[in-house]
Amino acid sequence: MRHIKNPEPVDLPDHITLLPTYLCLGYREWAVELMSDPGDGKSHYLPHGFYDPYGSLNININFGPRETVNTLLHELTHAVFHLYNLEELLELPPHAEEKLCTLLGNGYTELFVRNPEVLTYLWGVLHGDSDDSDDSKSSVVGQDIEAPSSCT
């Protein structure tokens, strides 16, 4: 069983148990941590998750499958912003990153829900259904980046 921050005894649904325990992005390995946060009881706000720039993406287990996918995409977008210094590069005003992560997470969630063949295509091309793929390197802005050995 996976460790859950703020634990309460609970049987985890499949969409939670299927979450990877870590993700590789850029030069980093990111832990995918589970949290159970029922909110403060004073508002309708229930935290979906949060991004820790020191190495973890935290996902609340109290949501359904679509909301969990959306949260994972949102937190991954924060990781991309951090790793590639996009906030500074794009000269964004304060709080713009959060809004952009929400919009991009929502947009990609809708795209994948309404067009599952996109996921099938991406998986096939990136994992060997194409003769011209080389999974050991990726090219970002003209640079070849070697994947860390633990992430290959």
Side-chain angles (χ1 to χ4, degrees):
M1 180 173 209
R2 292 184 58 180
H3 171 74
I4 302 173
K5 295 179 179 182
N6 309 323
E8 293 180 16
V10 62
D11 289 326
L12 298 175
D14 286 346
H15 72 277
I16 298 297
T17 61
L18 291 172
L19 280 166
T21 55
Y22 74 93
L23 296 166
C24 297
L25 180 63
Y27 63 93
R28 301 280 305 270
E29 186 173 292
W30 302 87
V32 178
E33 308 237 345
L34 304 179
M35 58 184 249
S36 177
D37 189 339
D40 62 11
K42 298 176 184 173
S43 69
H44 297 291
Y45 176 73
L46 182 63
H48 288 70
F50 65 92
Y51 161 74
D52 177 355
Y54 296 103
S56 68
L57 307 172
N58 297 266
I59 308 295
N60 194 332
I61 64 169
N62 295 307
F63 292 97
R66 191 175 293 185
E67 202 72 21
T68 300
V69 167
N70 184 283
T71 301
L72 180 63
L73 291 170
H74 174 101
E75 301 309 334
L76 282 169
T77 305
H78 278 297
V80 169
F81 264 80
H82 174 79
L83 278 172
Y84 298 102
N85 202 23
L86 293 181
E87 191 166 16
E88 184 177 321
L89 181 69
L90 299 173
E91 299 178 358
L92 297 175
H95 309 293
E97 178 185 338
E98 184 64 27
K99 291 176 184 176
L100 283 171
C101 290
T102 297
L103 292 169
L104 289 168
N106 291 348
Y108 281 118
T109 299
E110 181 182 358
L111 173 73
F112 297 145
V113 166
R114 297 180 73 182
N115 304 279
E117 67 276 9
V118 171
L119 290 172
T120 303
Y121 166 78
L122 292 171
W123 180 265
V125 168
L126 296 174
H127 292 280
D129 289 352
S130 173
D131 291 337
D132 58 355
S133 68
D134 179 359
D135 291 339
S136 66
K137 290 186 178 181
S138 65
S139 180
V140 177
V141 193
Q143 294 179 306
D144 284 336
I145 299 174
E146 292 286 338
S149 59
S150 64
C151 291
T152 56

